[in-house]
Amino acid sequence: MTPNLPELLMGNLIAISTPPPPESAGEFAGGRIGVIGMISFMAAQEAEKGVAVRVAENRAIRALFADAVKEGWAPSLASLDALAKGEDDDLTLSGVDAANATLRRALIPLHAAIEDAPGAEGRAREVRILKLLREGAQSRALSLPGM
């Protein structure tokens, strides 16, 4: 499970508004506040860059799909053409997240299809997908306080 920004913030709200039981006072309560602060810090980072990161990733995946269709990487994956021509019309975090999930689900069978492609051309296509995935993960990285 990858919690999204609204879930994180709702969790923080519940944690702050629910009084701790008497046996959890002291260090436990202090640790709880520290975790709430850390989650808030990471949620702020996600709020700042989340949409831009997903839109850029969606564009990169669509460009990959367009090349796959044009170059015939996997002719059996006809839905890639429609996905390649799509755009992010809903620029809410939930909207671009949903589009990203659709694109990533379509990337799985394409990746599986080219894994079996022979020779240097197949390997170059696989490396391109792996690079796209690595760059996506790096762009989503959030920093922890003090790091």
Side-chain angles (χ1 to χ4, degrees), residues 1-4 7:
M1 179 186 125
T2 304
N4 59 38
E7 290 168 342

Side-chain angles (χ1 to χ4, degrees), residues 66-87:
D67 289 347
V69 169
K70 183 174 75 174
E71 298 170 14
W73 292 11
S76 63
L77 301 173
S79 64
L80 292 184
D81 191 39
L83 290 172
K85 294 175 182 171
E87 291 185 22

Side-chain angles (χ1 to χ4, degrees), residues 28-81:
F28 179 83
R32 181 175 164 187
I33 297 299
V35 169
I36 291 168
M38 183 176 58
I39 291 172
S40 297
F41 180 74
M42 291 189 296
Q45 292 174 66
E46 179 65 13
E48 174 64 24
K49 70 178 189 174
V51 170
V53 164
R54 284 164 183 76
V55 167
E57 187 173 296
N58 291 353
R59 284 184 189 139
I61 295 172
R62 287 185 182 112
L64 179 93
F65 288 170
D67 289 347
V69 169
K70 183 174 75 174
E71 298 170 14
W73 292 11
S76 63
L77 301 173
S79 64
L80 292 184
D81 191 39

Side-chain angles (χ1 to χ4, degrees), residues 17-29:
S17 62
T18 305
E23 66 274 9
S24 68
E27 290 182 23
F28 179 83

